[in-house]
């Protein structure tokens, strides 16, 4: 592996700018932009206003507040000097999680403090710190090159509702699709494997959900009088749900795996390089007693790169205290499918409908309800030009090999990939132990500065790669 | 088939006593002895008092009120002249079901009225009418024979809590076991197949219940992060419950059928003689769309004489509106087993515990809770002396072949058979369309009188058979 030497001009620029950068970030973190609580709507707007002023001050020629029926996003643009240069959109968000339980914080969540290398406060890692390192990065790159504009057109979209479900985000993307047109999307809202194991995410699983209702008699029956002689919808449901997987843990829907893009040998080898402690992972998995899943795949492959069918809820009959000897009239189950590269939610939905119809026993009536179109998986192959370019930038900043991860679920990223039809690149420096969404959220300041450095290298790399 | 001619003295005695008998019954029916509603406790006591006076008037030498921590039973005894004669206990109950919804009654529930051959009012069939025909029967028999005492010692136990679960009945039986000692128990609290198809029940299924909890992670997990890589307790529950039956609808617990007393060819042939309309039966089964059950058995065999495993309730994970993409921490199921002749609840309970332990997948923790000892099945073979004697009495009264049924569930009858260790004989003349437990309960007066006639023949038959 051949790594490029760091650009000392960039390193020094970032070092020199560190204190000012942290001071600015602290000012922003002090604004309690909790999007999930309507009482803080004004603060979310104030956060958008702060960011607008800040980005103007950093030199972005275009900065706008984009209103939604909910809370505002901030959009900024710094065009490349060459109008034919590629465009890259950076995605992040300026709203934060609620801070409850307050008494578990060691410091006030909206009075950020430095503790050695750490900056503590709500939003430090998720996601204000990771949005802001891009400004330091782009200014370092411009200072080092002496140019007046970046080598790609940099667009910045900073959402205000990510922590409350991004409910208006897809519409915003569709409405502004022309302004947002780009050749790649850089996501800076995730984590690396570890401080000493830099990594990039290359895919997120999609999702489609379904609810099945099985109906038998029109009312609950006395099991003394009728038990053993009429179909019991709970038996039918148990049999149906048990048949959803085979003995190897594979989903049995016909055609379910047909379109799956398999992991390459290289990606599997790079996953295997990640220092993964399965016992420790099981502890984070609610103390699960054993790993379990599709045969022939490791735990990381299962959660990142393999599709699943999961029963999220199941119910029917008597569920209260004591006994009630009935044949129940109905049984219900909620199922969700995680989808991976190549799979289409609509196709899986149809396969599930067909499968339920084919596997419902005589005498039981089945109804399948599918809420919405689902979320498509997103995926950027590790050998794609954009991912390779970003990896070079990250490796140059961190001075070591950058490995790959994926994410098991997805949020607004899927909308970005879908609506803008551009590959996603994940350049992020959060850590799993940053306690995002929890008391005492922090970020590692040295990693934020590495993020700025990677961002500084990124535009030149992408300018070449995407041309 | 050779039937004995009716005894004209008995027939005439009953005919002559009809009006007085119906008038007395109406007086009793006017007492609203609803045991399920504490507001009516005084009325249940009044009902016991009425019956006490009545039985004394009918000539029973011993009549007592037996108090319980709840509502009182009435006990009466008429000893045979010969102290070595067999003893027979007659069981019935003097409490009644609530009458709601009141506006669906065509007449006031506690103002009994005659409508042609029908007597309408709460308790007419269930069970005051069927208790009272025994007094007319015994007096007819004594009048015909000219004897001062019946040929067997007749004991009468009329419970006051049957409609509210017989909660103190088993204790009462145990406490009074010596007084209640008998060679057979006559149950007069059930139905015949039809007015023109007289029948006797010969068995009731027993019952044992269990609740299974399967535990996975210590809290619900995000299915994006963990789905497909840890065991899901709902999957394990579906697989466990699906494995409870094989493809032939047989219960898979090892040894489950080992002790089952199979139906004899004669009993199956007699069941098959019952005019059974399966489509009509399915309508009563809540409009179930198909019959289903253990292969090789008819519907009546399945509900009366074959053991079952029924899931009464199952739940876990997200059961509210909308989706929640989790791997749930727990799954629960409530299961009940109907047991038939030969099966012991304790043995089935142990088999179930062992089976759950053996079939719970690695990584999931199982807990089985079994509430109480269960209910043993009861069964009197159709060729047993007591059943044959009662059948002769019924056939003599009805003038036609008496067929056999069984009951799919059981109530206090199981306690009677268990505590008193005596065979049960079912002599009852209710009909399935008597609307017991429903508005407009009625009884067919001609059938009550046939019941009295059968009861009149019964004591002589049993005196011979049980000696």
């Amino acid at each position: 592996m051949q790594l490029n030497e760091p650009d000392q001009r960039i390193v020094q620029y970032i070092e020199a700018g560190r204190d000012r950068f942290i001071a600015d970030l602290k000012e922003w973190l002090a604004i309690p932009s909790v999007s999930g609580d309507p009482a803080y709507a004004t603060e979310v707007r104030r956060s958008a206003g702060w960011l607008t002023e800040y980005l103007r001050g950093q030199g972005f020629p275009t900065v706008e507040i984009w209103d939604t029926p909910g809370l505002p996003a901030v959009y900024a643009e710094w065009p490349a000097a060459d109008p034919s240069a590629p465009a890259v959109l950076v995605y992040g968000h300026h709203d934060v999680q609620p801070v409850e339980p307050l008494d578990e914080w060691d410091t006030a969540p909206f009075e950020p403090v430095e503790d050695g290398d750490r900056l503590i406060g709500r939003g430090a890692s998720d996601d204000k710190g990771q949005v802001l390192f891009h400004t330091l990065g782009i200014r370092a790159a411009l200072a080092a090159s002496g140019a007046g504009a970046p080598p790609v057109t940099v667009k910045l979209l900073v959402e205000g509702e990510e922590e409350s479900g991004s409910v208006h985000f897809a519409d915003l993307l569709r409405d502004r699709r022309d302004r947002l047109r780009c050749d790649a999307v850089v996501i800076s809202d995730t984590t690396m494997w570890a401080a000493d194991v830099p990594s990039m995410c290359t895919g997120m699983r999609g999702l489609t959900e379904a609810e099945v209702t099985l109906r038998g008699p029109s009312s609950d029956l006395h099991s003394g009088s009728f038990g053993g002689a009429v179909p019991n919808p709970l038996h039918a449901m148990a049999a149906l749900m048990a048949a959803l997987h085979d003995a190897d843990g594979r989903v049995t829907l016909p055609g379910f795996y047909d379109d799956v893009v398999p992991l390459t040998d290289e990606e599997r080898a790079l996953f295997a390089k990640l220092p993964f402690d399965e016992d420790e992972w099981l502890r984070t998995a609610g103390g699960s007693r054993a790993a379990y899943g599709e045969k022939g795949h490791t735990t990381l492959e299962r959660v990142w790169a393999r599709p699943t069918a999961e029963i999220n809820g199941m119910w029917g009959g008597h569920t209260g205290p004591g006994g009630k000897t009935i044949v129940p009239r109905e049984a219900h189950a909620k199922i969700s499918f995680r989808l991976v590269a190549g799979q289409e939610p609509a196709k899986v939905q149809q396969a599930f409908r067909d499968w339920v119809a084919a596997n419902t026993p005589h005498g039981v009536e089945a109804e399948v309800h599918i809420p919405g179109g689902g979320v498509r998986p997103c995926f950027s192959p590790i050998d794609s030009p954009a991912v390779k370019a970003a990896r070079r930038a990250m490796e140059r900043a961190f001075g070591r090999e950058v490995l790959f991860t994926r994410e098991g679920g997805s949020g607004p990223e899927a909308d970005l990939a879908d609506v803008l039809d551009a590959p996603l690149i994940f350049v992020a420096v959060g850590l799993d132990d940053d306690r995002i969404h929890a008391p005492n959220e922090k970020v590692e300041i040295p990693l934020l500065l590495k993020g700025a450095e990677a961002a500084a290298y990124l535009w030149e790399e992408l300018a070449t790669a995407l041309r």
Side-chain angles (χ1 to χ4, degrees), chain A:
Chain A
M1 192 186 55
Q2 180 92 38
L3 300 180
N4 290 320
E5 288 297 311
D7 181 328
Q8 286 308 322
R9 293 166 301 176
I10 284 177
V11 171
Q12 281 159 22
Y13 185 94
I14 289 172
E15 245 173 54
R18 175 203 185 277
D19 291 354
R20 180 73 252 151
F21 170 74
I22 296 298
D24 291 340
L25 176 55
K26 283 162 85 170
E27 203 178 292
W28 196 19
L29 292 177
I31 302 173
S33 50
V34 180
S35 64
D37 183 344
Y40 288 87
T42 310
E43 299 296 336
V44 179
R45 291 177 197 286
R46 197 153 71 86
S47 162
W50 183 93
L51 180 60
T52 309
E53 287 313 304
Y54 180 79
L55 293 172
R56 283 189 187 122
Q58 296 292 306
F60 276 84
T62 301
V63 184
E64 300 171 9
I65 288 189
W66 283 2
D67 265 318
T68 73
L71 296 165
V74 172
Y75 176 75
E77 193 174 322
W78 201 323
D82 173 0
S84 72
V88 178
L89 178 72
V90 175
Y91 167 82
H93 61 91
H94 68 92
D95 61 322
V96 299
Q97 277 278 314
V99 294
E100 288 70 26
L102 247 182
D103 58 2
E104 291 184 21
W105 284 79
D106 297 328
T107 61
F110 296 111
E111 294 170 21
V113 294
E114 283 176 79
D115 178 11
D117 274 346
R118 295 179 165 183
L119 177 60
I120 300 164
R122 174 58 87 228
S125 173
D126 180 21
D127 184 40
K128 288 171 174 168
Q130 304 209 58
V131 168
L132 225 57
F133 77 57
H134 279 285
T135 62
L136 183 55
I138 200 167
R139 289 183 52 240
L142 293 178
S145 69
V152 297
T153 292
V154 176
K155 302 178 176 186
L156 189 59
L157 179 61
V158 186
E159 191 192 353
E161 295 185 306
E162 200 273 345
E163 300 294 6
S164 49
S166 298
V167 280
H168 304 101
F169 190 63
D171 279 346
L172 184 73
L173 293 178
R174 279 186 284 265
D175 290 349
R176 310 278 186 157
R177 194 193 321 239
D178 284 345
R179 301 280 308 272
L180 294 168
R181 195 181 301 278
C182 60
D183 301 286
V185 179
V186 172
I187 309 285
S188 293
D189 185 26
T190 54
T191 58
M192 307 194 306
W193 185 260
D196 57 352
V197 187
S199 65
M200 293 170 58
C201 174
T202 60
M204 297 183 130
R205 292 197 290 190
L207 178 71
T208 184
E209 297 175 76
E211 183 170 330
V212 182
T213 300
L214 299 183
R215 295 194 176 88
S218 59
S219 58
D220 293 347
L221 300 178
H222 190 290
S223 78
S225 306
F226 298 102
V230 293
N232 178 328
L234 283 176
H235 293 198
M237 185 60 86
L240 192 69
M241 291 298 104
L244 198 50
H245 292 87
D246 67 16
D248 290 337
R250 284 171 66 90
V251 177
T252 55
L253 297 196
F256 186 69
Y257 294 96
D258 285 359
D259 302 326
V260 168
V261 176
L263 282 162
T264 63
D265 290 344
E266 187 190 359
E267 201 168 3
R268 296 184 78 169
L270 287 169
F271 280 0
K273 275 194 177 182
L274 293 164
F276 177 67
D277 179 339
E278 190 154 271
D279 289 338
E280 175 53 33
W281 181 85
L282 284 171
R283 274 189 289 277
T284 69
S288 287
R289 293 164 185 86
Y292 171 83
E294 188 188 354
K295 206 169 165 177
H297 288 280
T298 66
T299 290
L300 288 181
E301 290 169 5
R302 287 168 180 165
V303 292
W304 287 344
R306 298 301 298 172
T308 66
E310 205 75 45
I311 312 174
N312 305 125
M314 186 161 64
W315 71 102
H318 178 59
T319 61
K324 196 171 172 192
T325 49
I326 55 168
V327 177
R329 58 193 291 263
E330 286 185 358
H332 309 264
K334 289 176 194 267
I335 299 104
S336 58
F337 296 90
R338 295 282 167 182
L339 308 179
V340 300
Q343 289 184 299
E344 281 294 334
K347 201 168 163 187
V348 172
Q349 290 170 3
Q350 191 56 50
F352 184 66
R353 284 185 192 281
D354 294 346
W355 179 82
V356 169
N359 287 275
T360 300
H362 184 56
V364 172
E365 198 180 76
E367 186 185 324
V368 175
H369 171 66
I370 292 181
V375 177
R376 296 176 67 194
C378 51
F379 171 58
S380 301
I382 61 174
D383 55 1
S384 63
V387 171
K388 285 167 81 171
R391 191 185 190 199
R392 281 192 300 272
M394 286 280 281
E395 290 185 333
R396 192 172 182 190
F398 281 91
R400 58 170 71 204
E401 183 182 26
V402 165
L403 297 175
F404 292 108
T405 65
R406 293 202 198 176
E407 295 270 327
S410 53
E413 296 84 359
D415 290 325
L416 284 161
D418 234 36
V419 177
L420 304 182
D421 193 23
L424 302 187
I425 322 166
F426 294 79
V427 175
V429 297
L431 294 179
D432 282 338
D433 73 356
D434 277 349
R435 297 187 290 270
I436 68 168
H437 297 207
N440 301 316
E441 177 175 350
K442 57 89 179 167
V443 75
E444 304 287 335
I445 294 170
L447 294 183
L448 278 187
L449 302 180
K450 287 289 180 198
E453 188 180 344
Y457 303 139
L458 185 63
W459 313 123
E460 197 60 54
E461 293 285 0
L462 285 174
T464 312
L466 296 175
R467 216 169 252 283

